[in-house]
Amino acid sequence: MLDDIKKTLWATADKLRANMDAAEYKHLVLGLIFVKYISDTFAARRAEVVARLADPSDEYFYGDASPEDLAAEADDRDYYTAVNVFWVPEAARWEALRAQAKRPEIGKLIDEALSLIEADNPKLKGILDKRYARAQLPDGKLGELVDLVSTIGFGDDPGAARDVLGQVYEYFLGMFASAEGKRGGQFYTPASIVKTLVAVLAPHHGQVYDPCCGSGGMFVQSERFIEAHGGKKGDVSIYGQEANPTTWRLAAMNLAIRGIDFNLGREPGDTFTRNQHPDLRADFILANPPFNISDWWHGSLEGDARWHYGDPPQGNANYAWLQHMLHHLKDTGRAGIVLANGSMSSSQNNEGVIRAAMVEADVVEVMIALPGQLFFNTQIPACLWFLAKKKPAARKGQVLFIDARKLGRMISRVQCEFADEEIERIAATVAAWRGQAAAGETVGEYADVPGFCRSVPLAEIGQHGHVLTPGRYVGAEEVEDDDEAFGEKMQRLTETLGEQMAKGAELDALIRQKLGGLGYEF
């Protein structure tokens, strides 16, 4: 049901876009969904407060108050901030905007509403994008968009309505990433990659950090994972950073829509040169940094404390990201990072030296090769690195390699995704190897599976020049033996080949004859 609703909403919203660039339009649509969300949440909380003020058995009960007194009391902001609900001034509430959707100055009215909301909620300062008055939409389309967003969040249960809005927001993020193609991937990591990272890392408590968080998908999936395993949202605290100002806003809205408390730094900024969380040591780090970025270096990074295993090359940030993660990990922490395949084997400009130092320091825990076409924005094949400062005692001096290139299925002509059971297989393999299960789950026995996974001692990795490509270590799948003796099989195959070659020679002669008849000898 919800899937149909999301598709219908997207189709309608996309039609209203007319000729507007998807990258611009994205902010208009997602901004409106956000305003609708905070307005709905506020209204639901207000109705709850009013009901409780009039209930003699409730601690909020307000004696023999008149309806005016009750209304005034319900406007006390403490009722809202106490439960992490944003305060929405009357003029900025969704119904007020909806009532004026058909007016030509609706864009200006939305911008004014956003300013009012920001003024009353310091946490949203600078996050709401006031671009509606200057939106390049044809006349009337913005009002139609307001009407369309008004249909989201149906039903009387505010919790369910909020969840619907959150899911619609996330679905639209993915659809915009697809519509924008290459650029879209900069703010959105496909869900099956995020799910795989989260399932293997199993973040269930403490501090979760993403130094290039895009629109915040890693955090949303982490929260889902925690709830699915019997934990509560508040069990983790969220730290992120994002350089692109508009993407930084998308992330803040994406987290606020879910009532997740977050710290995305004081401002958008480059993680290497304007680190927003220099003192953070996180329990879990998840990241999908841009692959192979060449223009990342700045003179101020010379001799940086983060380059513990060697200076990363100025022409490629892959090993800067890996070392940044390790620097920000607690001693008991774990990190998972998506990188281009080249990172597993490159030996140019000191990369091989850094990789060897990391392997020998025993901080590389698991390496996973991924199938192609998992991303919207690049055909570069990718892999997952998992780092840990302290491996389980039984696994010290070993690295687990998983070759998942044969997994996944094509969901469109250009994109592949993992099925949930494939993600589960990968996560269960890692949990069994570590000897550690997620909360409330049992852990199976680990065993190497030829062609899929193998636990490899560091000495063997050293013999391979510290190359970390799983295909090099996991071997080939065992092929079922069909019981046919080798000699007989070879005889049969040779006969078949002979017949095919004879047939080929016949066809060659026929082609020559036909061409000769037309006067084309050769």
Side-chain angles (χ1 to χ4, degrees):
M1 168 68 179
L2 183 54
D3 283 347
D4 294 340
I5 292 165
K6 289 191 291 198
K7 284 178 185 151
T8 308
L9 286 167
W10 171 258
T12 313
D14 200 39
K15 199 161 82 200
L16 291 174
R17 174 161 74 100
N19 296 323
M20 192 177 191
D21 183 21
E24 273 294 299
Y25 186 61
K26 165 177 80 217
H27 301 288
L28 299 179
V29 177
L30 295 173
L32 283 178
I33 292 175
F34 180 71
V35 175
K36 172 81 162 75
Y37 161 77
I38 58 173
S39 195
D40 280 11
T41 313
F42 174 82
R45 174 64 178 165
R46 196 170 191 282
E48 180 193 342
V49 169
V50 168
R52 289 178 65 178
L53 288 169
D55 180 356
S57 64
D58 196 285
E59 60 181 310
Y60 284 4
F61 181 56
Y62 188 26
D64 300 322
S66 68
E68 290 76 18
D69 289 343
L70 283 177
E73 176 65 17
D75 282 342
D76 182 332
R77 295 183 189 209
D78 290 347
Y79 288 123
Y80 302 89
T81 50
V83 291
N84 206 11
V85 165
F86 295 108
W87 171 267
V88 185
E90 202 160 342
R93 291 174 197 164
W94 188 259
E95 287 314 313
L97 290 175
R98 187 182 187 181
Q100 305 181 82
K102 296 290 179 279
R103 289 176 61 181
E105 67 273 27
I106 181 63
K108 185 165 162 290
L109 295 168
I110 295 170
D111 286 344
E112 287 167 1
L114 295 178
S115 296
L116 287 172
I117 291 167
E118 277 196 350
D120 275 317
N121 299 280
K123 185 132 200 193
L124 296 177
K125 187 91 187 99
I127 281 169
L128 305 180
D129 216 342
K130 294 172 279 295
R131 54 169 77 203
Y132 292 86
R134 58 179 199 277
Q136 304 293 305
L137 276 175
D139 287 350
K141 294 287 187 212
L142 186 54
E144 288 181 51
L145 193 56
V146 171
D147 286 342
L148 175 67
V149 173
S150 297
T151 63
I152 311 173
F154 3 75
D156 302 325
D157 176 0
R162 274 210 308 274
D163 190 48
V164 167
L165 277 158
Q167 289 195 48
V168 168
Y169 188 95
E170 192 176 0
Y171 179 75
F172 273 38
L173 272 176
M175 295 304 285
F176 277 121
S178 187
E180 285 185 56
K182 190 166 173 53
R183 286 171 306 165
Q186 292 169 352
F187 67 85
Y188 186 82
T189 306
S192 73
I193 297 174
V194 181
K195 282 184 193 165
T196 306
L197 273 176
V198 170
V200 171
L201 274 186
H204 45 274
H205 64 84
Q207 294 161 319
V208 175
Y209 172 51
D210 181 348
C212 39
C213 67
S215 49
M218 301 283 185
F219 302 135
V220 172
Q221 285 294 347
S222 296
E223 291 281 6
R224 283 205 186 124
F225 177 88
I226 290 156
E227 289 180 333
H229 290 79
K232 296 188 302 297
K233 264 188 186 162
D235 291 350
V236 299
S237 43
I238 297 290
Y239 294 84
Q241 177 153 356
E242 172 56 43
N244 180 311
T246 50
T247 305
W248 184 74
R249 290 188 184 116
L250 290 179
M253 291 194 293
N254 196 11
L255 296 171
I257 269 189
R258 293 177 166 76
I260 298 172
D261 206 21
F262 57 88
N263 178 345
L264 299 183
R266 281 196 325 278
E267 58 190 355
D270 176 276
T271 300
F272 296 125
T273 57
R274 284 163 59 206
N275 191 354
Q276 298 287 301
H277 308 288
D279 302 322
L280 175 67
R281 297 295 177 270
D283 296 284
F284 299 97
I285 299 178
L286 307 92
N288 171 25
F291 295 171
N292 304 322
I293 42 175
S294 55
D295 56 352
W296 71 282
W297 178 259
H298 184 267
S300 63
L301 297 171
E302 195 73 56
D304 194 291
R306 288 171 285 186
W307 316 147
H308 183 75
Y309 297 95
D311 292 335
Q314 297 182 13
N316 191 317
N318 290 347
Y319 278 83
W321 286 116
L322 285 165
Q323 294 193 84
H324 176 87
M325 313 280 168
L326 281 164
H327 177 79
H328 282 287
L329 261 192
K330 272 193 184 133
D331 281 349
T332 53
R334 283 205 175 98
I337 173 172
V338 189
L339 279 178
N341 269 1
S343 63
M344 299 189 286
S345 56
S346 165
S347 54
Q348 58 201 26
N349 305 327
N350 214 31
E351 288 183 334
V353 175
I354 299 170
R355 186 172 58 252
M358 286 169 59
V359 170
E360 293 305 326
D362 211 15
V363 295
V364 179
E365 188 187 30
V366 183
M367 297 296 302
I368 300 179
L370 299 173
Q373 295 185 288
L374 280 174
F375 290 86
F376 292 115
N377 59 328
T378 178
Q379 295 309 311
I380 298 173
C383 60
L384 302 180
W385 289 67
F386 290 92
L387 309 174
K389 289 189 175 174
K390 280 191 182 153
K391 294 181 185 172
R395 294 302 178 188
K396 287 194 187 316
Q398 297 174 55
V399 175
L400 174 62
F401 289 94
I402 294 179
D403 189 346
R405 288 175 301 174
K406 290 200 177 83
L407 304 185
R409 62 197 169 88
M410 297 303 288
I411 53 164
S412 72
R413 199 173 45 78
V414 291
Q415 206 185 359
C416 170
E417 96 176 355
F418 283 142
D420 286 348
E421 51 272 20
E422 291 173 322
I423 295 172
E424 184 48 49
R425 180 187 178 194
I426 292 169
T429 301
V430 176
W433 180 81
R434 286 180 185 146
Q436 297 168 338
E441 293 182 7
T442 51
V443 63
E445 274 300 308
Y446 172 78
D448 291 340
V449 177
F452 178 65
C453 64
R454 184 168 163 241
S455 186
V456 180
L458 299 189
E460 184 179 336
I461 298 169
Q463 287 163 8
H464 284 271
H466 297 99
V467 167
L468 295 175
T469 313
R472 186 171 283 214
Y473 300 99
V474 300
E477 280 179 82
E478 287 180 358
V479 180
E480 281 184 38
D481 190 3
D482 56 9
D483 292 336
E484 188 175 1
F486 176 77
E488 290 170 17
K489 190 171 192 173
M490 199 62 196
Q491 179 68 37
R492 181 173 58 75
L493 291 173
T494 310
E495 284 169 9
T496 305
L497 180 63
E499 286 167 16
Q500 288 170 344
M501 287 170 82
K503 184 74 176 160
E506 268 178 49
L507 289 170
D508 283 348
L510 186 60
I511 290 165
R512 278 176 188 272
Q513 182 193 337
K514 295 284 187 202
L515 286 171
L518 295 169
Y520 299 102
E521 299 285 349
F522 70 99

